[in-house]
Amino acid sequence: MVFILTRRTRHVGLAALAALALASTPAHADLGPADHGVDPLAGAPVKRACPDTSQPGAVTCLALVRTDVRPQHGIQPQHAPAGLGATELRDAYRLPTATAGKGQTVAIINVFDDPKAESDLAVYRAQYGLPPCTTANGCFRKVNADGSSRLPHADTSWAQEISLDLDMVSATCPNCKILLVEADQTSIPGLGKGVDTAVRLGAKYISNSYGGAESASASAADFQHFDHPGVAITAASGDSGYGVLFPATAPHVTAVGGTSLGRAANARGWNETAWSGSGSGCATVAPKPPWQKDTGCSRRTVADVSAVADPNTGVAVYDTFGFGGWQVVGGTS
């Protein structure tokens, strides 16, 4: 994938960012849970996978699910599922193949359990000819945010986000191991503990596909969860246009915005433009990182990189926990 980058001295590998920044796309309508509201900035009919929250310190997932796509179940041998698939994403962003990412672990931090995560992931990877990633072969692992095997209760809304994240890591880094970390509650302390756990378990690349309002009462501990030198940590910038969310405003994460991506008759073969729904702006609490040199914002500026997130050009995601299978999803998650 091609990223829109700001100048920074804290270098993060492009392949690592690719394996993380693509996290932003799950869902369907008729077969899903109650509608959580329509995104006014998305042209296609969509719903938010997770409910909005105004509770201080709470977050929501940032996946937008197309409601005009009829889900299909299982591997589709005749016709590719709707939405951008792994093959198209790898072509659009010129992602490395062969053994790239082999031996590395990408962690996905989410809330609640998706009991179909591993089996749904198997269908996605088989659809696009990607190598199996299972518990049995040591590629896939799922833990609680405290690192234990005690999993939270299942939730169909957050499972859409989990499916999106798993599928996008698979598409962008098919040789990477995947660590799915599931928190018990939608709070920054709980999710931050999950980030700390992922680092402790050896992940060098960590994706956070959620966000909540900045809080003037944010403690130093909140920022510390997202500050692990030598570990690439990404966070979604939001899906409601201008405005910022935490932890994307944390000084030591890479804030991921969104684009619209479509095929084109040019040298690249694709056309990519900024998506109006992408979260962006100037933080009100977080200090400016030393590697940001822009003068228009005295605090932390969002975003740092961008990748496809527009639901109109969304990605294919497979989810059968409360849904019918293949869906088209967007969002900066």
Side-chain angles (χ1 to χ4, degrees):
M1 101 180 10
V2 172
F3 294 101
I4 300 170
L5 297 166
T6 59
R7 281 184 168 275
R8 55 185 304 180
T9 57
R10 185 175 212 161
H11 298 295
V12 181
L14 183 61
L17 290 175
L20 298 170
L22 267 175
S24 81
T25 336
H28 178 73
D30 308 329
L31 305 179
D35 192 325
H36 297 311
V38 175
D39 188 314
L41 296 173
V46 299
K47 69 167 187 174
R48 297 182 186 277
C50 301
D52 280 332
T53 178
S54 57
Q55 182 178 350
V59 302
T60 189
C61 73
L62 296 170
L64 300 175
V65 181
R66 289 273 294 268
T67 61
D68 59 342
V69 177
R70 184 175 180 273
Q72 297 172 295
H73 191 273
I75 297 171
Q76 305 297 305
Q78 302 298 325
H79 302 286
L84 297 174
T87 304
E88 294 164 301
L89 292 171
R90 297 189 67 78
D91 177 67
Y93 292 115
R94 303 294 190 266
L95 298 179
T97 54
T99 59
K102 192 173 183 62
Q104 298 298 323
T105 298
V106 177
I108 294 168
I109 314 300
N110 261 300
V111 183
F112 307 133
D113 181 41
D114 177 2
K116 295 291 189 70
E118 186 171 356
S119 59
D120 285 348
L121 177 62
V123 173
Y124 181 89
R125 294 178 74 102
Q127 176 71 47
Y128 297 107
L130 306 177
C133 186
T134 66
T135 301
N137 68 12
C139 174
F140 178 78
R141 183 180 181 185
K142 180 165 64 171
V143 300
N144 187 283
D146 61 11
S148 72
S149 59
R150 177 192 59 80
L151 301 178
H153 70 78
D155 182 87
T156 56
S157 293
W158 279 87
Q160 293 176 92
E161 179 64 62
I162 290 172
S163 294
L164 168 64
D165 295 355
L166 292 174
D167 292 353
M168 293 305 99
V169 170
S170 296
T172 56
C173 192
N175 297 303
C176 286
K177 294 181 179 181
I178 302 176
L179 173 64
L180 173 58
V181 180
E182 298 179 332
D184 293 295
Q185 54 188 338
T186 59
S187 70
I188 287 298
L191 287 156
K193 180 194 295 184
V195 174
D196 297 336
T197 292
V199 174
R200 177 168 54 83
L201 294 179
K204 295 296 184 182
Y205 314 99
I206 301 177
S207 172
N208 299 278
S209 297
Y210 55 84
E214 278 195 296
S215 172
S217 62
S219 66
D222 292 335
F223 291 111
Q224 289 172 3
H225 288 307
F226 303 94
D227 180 12
H228 292 277
V231 178
I233 302 177
T234 62
S237 70
D239 303 334
S240 299
Y242 186 76
V244 297
L245 298 176
F246 187 84
T249 56
H252 299 294
V253 309
T254 299
V256 182
T259 65
S260 300
L261 176 69
R263 289 195 177 276
N266 56 27
R268 179 186 174 190
W270 297 86
N271 183 54
E272 190 165 30
T273 58
W275 175 49
S276 62
S278 176
S280 64
C282 183
T284 59
V285 176
K288 197 169 197 65
W291 45 264
Q292 285 193 339
K293 306 300 183 183
D294 60 290
T295 59
C297 172
S298 62
R299 294 188 179 275
R300 207 263 198 250
T301 306
V302 174
D304 302 307
V305 302
S306 294
V308 60
D310 184 350
N312 292 286
T313 63
V315 299
V317 173
Y318 193 72
D319 176 18
T320 62
F321 182 46
F323 297 86
W326 291 103
Q327 308 167 57
V328 175
V329 186
T332 57
S333 64

